[in-house]
Amino acid sequence: MSFIISRAKDVISPTYVGETGRQFGTRLKEHKKDSETIAERKFTRANRKESISEQHKSVIIDHVAQENHIIEWEGATILDRASIASTRRTREAIQIRKRGAKAINRDEGIVSLDHV
């Protein structure tokens, strides 16, 4: 089994780049389930404000909660594959960096790349 770096796109255009050592479909289902749970919540103004300050398991779920956006799960794609975790993380950081401001990731990945 190869490991993957994937991308999911928000209908408004930001993208999320994620890295996992598990199967793509499994991780995608988890993201979808978590996002549907947030989307189904009935928010009062106070609840919405509270939700904005929550940090969920994934930044893509934070994005759904905070921006009330819909994610195009069908458009999620595998960008790269690597079986070695350190290689996967480096490639994830490169993919996040490539997207610049369009990436909704919390950080630039676990691997710190020099800004050249």
Side-chain angles (χ1 to χ4, degrees):
M1 164 64 195
S2 292
F3 299 94
I4 52 141
I5 298 163
S6 62
R7 177 181 76 130
K9 189 175 181 182
D10 178 316
V11 294
I12 302 194
S13 101
T15 58
Y16 165 75
V17 176
E19 169 272 324
T20 184
R22 297 179 302 137
Q23 293 209 1
F24 177 68
T26 302
R27 189 65 184 117
L28 190 63
K29 283 180 191 173
E30 291 171 352
H31 280 310
K32 285 172 77 170
K33 182 181 176 204
D34 292 344
S35 105
E36 288 165 0
T37 300
I38 290 293
E40 289 171 359
R41 282 172 63 183
K42 304 292 183 219
F43 287 109
T44 62
R45 277 186 229 137
N47 290 356
R48 172 69 64 193
K49 200 172 197 178
E50 185 179 301
S51 176
I52 287 171
S53 64
E54 286 179 37
Q55 190 169 28
H56 299 89
K57 188 165 63 171
S58 168
V59 71
I60 200 165
I61 307 311
D62 288 343
H63 183 73
V64 169
Q66 294 167 7
E67 304 296 331
N68 199 28
H69 286 179
I70 298 167
I71 305 300
E72 290 181 352
W73 298 111
E74 304 75 36
T77 58
I78 297 172
L79 299 172
D80 205 345
R81 295 175 187 268
S83 58
I84 300 169
S86 60
T87 303
R88 235 180 16 254
R89 292 179 182 133
T90 300
R91 291 178 183 178
E92 176 196 32
I94 291 167
Q95 292 291 339
I96 293 168
R97 176 79 59 86
K98 278 180 168 179
R99 281 155 183 74
K102 289 187 177 185
I104 59 171
N105 293 69
R106 283 190 184 120
D107 54 38
E108 293 183 340
I110 200 166
V111 174
S112 179
L113 300 175
D114 289 336
H115 290 270
V116 181

